[in-house]
Amino acid sequence: MIEASVVIATYKRPKETAYCLKLLGESQFLGDKFTLEVIVIDSSPDNLTKKAIESLREKFNLNYIKLRQKTLPGEARNIAIKKAQ
């Protein structure tokens, strides 16, 4: 089975982040031919993204990382990649 990591860096986009996870969850061979480790790295000043994706945790090996301050997407992705399995 193929194991892949997906990094989603987000800032004030809870609906879009949840929609992205929903689409990943609808992948045709998820759980059959491949598994996903999903890392959502959020530098939003609120917890709306965490709340928006909470119901999608069971579909993935989901790791949610909350940053304390606004971070550029490239830097956020690099932080998440270091945490990937």
Side-chain angles (χ1 to χ4, degrees), residues 17-85:
T17 304
Y19 183 65
C20 181
L21 288 174
K22 177 185 172 292
L23 292 177
L24 284 172
E26 293 172 357
S27 298
Q28 183 178 2
F29 297 109
L30 180 63
D32 183 34
K33 294 188 178 184
F34 68 95
T35 61
L36 292 178
E37 168 195 29
V38 179
I39 302 170
V40 175
I41 186 153
D42 181 18
S43 59
S44 302
D46 52 41
N47 289 322
L48 296 177
T49 300
K50 184 176 183 181
K51 290 177 186 176
I53 66 172
E54 193 64 37
S55 66
L56 301 166
R57 281 189 172 269
E58 67 273 358
K59 286 202 176 223
F60 309 102
N61 175 10
L62 182 61
N63 185 2
Y64 175 79
I65 301 169
K66 176 71 171 164
L67 299 177
R68 293 183 187 174
Q69 61 187 17
K70 185 176 178 183
T71 307
L72 294 174
E75 184 180 351
R77 283 190 294 269
N78 289 340
I79 293 167
I81 288 168
K82 289 178 184 175
K83 304 258 184 196
Q85 299 296 316

